[in-house]
Each structure stands twice: as structure tokens, then as C-alpha cells.
Amino acid sequence: CATSRRPEATAVLEAFLPLLRASERGRIVNVSTSMGSLAEQANPDSPYYGMIVPAYQSSKAALNSITIMLAKALADTSIKVTSVCPGFVQTDLTPVNREQAPLTATQAAEVVVAAATLPDDAPSGTFIDSNGTVPW
């Protein structure tokens, strides 16, 4: 059944966009994952190549696409848009035992904070993790 209902993330963005446009240093940080990288999914040498989690991977790939679209749509503004991969984090959402994840939530938040505090001359529409650029 088709619906005209907007995805919640888009509705929230549309609600906050006027405030972001009014700010001097607006930032949009989308929390993604390297598992959502199409390049990583297609690369046999990637540690994510053998992972098959269709709903999770495809939803994060879609989020990465939204990052690119927003960066283009907001190119004439000071707003920066970034996708970030916080890494394998010790949360109750981890698909394995939480203790197997190497990062605490505090450690994982560092890349989110880095994206939220990008300097004005930083590029928009990027995908990063704690090691730098992640391929789309």
C-alpha cells in the first residue's frame, strides 16, 4: 500500500531546517555505519563484505544518500551535512554480546561531536568515522 507519509527523519529535518538556516554554524549529523557503504558492501576485501543485514544496511545506505542530497541542497548556506560511523558500540542494540563491542558510547560519540563542530571551511556531504573518510 503506497502512502504519502514522509519518513520521520525527513519530517524532523524539515521542522528544524528554518532554525538551522538562521544559525551561523548549522550542522546536520546523520549517524550511519560503514555497513551502509555501497563501496564496502561490494568490496570482497572489506570486513563488511560477508555481512548480510538487509534492512539495516539498506536503511543506512538510504541515510547516506540523504546526506549527499542535503549537502547539495544546502550548498549555498553555511550548513554542513555529514554521515558518521561511530563504530561498534557497547549498546543493547548490538547483534552480539554487548561486551564484544570495543567502544563505549562516550568513545563512539567523539566522531559525532567532531562532525557537529566542523570548521566553516570543511567540506559538506562527507562520510567519516574515527579514522577519516569512509567510501560511499
Side-chain angles (χ1 to χ4, degrees), residues 7-90:
E8 285 77 12
T10 304
V12 170
L13 175 65
E14 288 175 4
F16 281 97
L17 201 50
L19 295 172
L20 286 168
R21 287 184 182 277
S23 73
E24 292 181 18
R25 299 186 71 229
R27 301 295 184 262
I28 298 170
V29 181
N30 292 320
V31 179
S32 185
T33 175
S34 296
M35 289 175 61
S37 162
L38 297 179
E40 293 289 344
Q41 290 182 44
N43 179 0
D45 295 326
S46 169
Y48 308 106
Y49 183 76
M51 294 184 183
I52 301 173
V53 190
Y56 184 68
Q57 289 169 297
S58 61
S59 67
K60 294 301 186 174
L63 181 64
N64 291 342
S65 181
I66 289 171
T67 297
I68 294 169
M69 180 272 310
L70 284 171
K72 291 190 293 186
L74 299 169
D76 64 340
T77 74
S78 63
I79 300 170
K80 305 292 181 193
V81 188
T82 310
S83 275
V84 300
C85 174
F88 188 21
V89 185
Q90 298 167 4

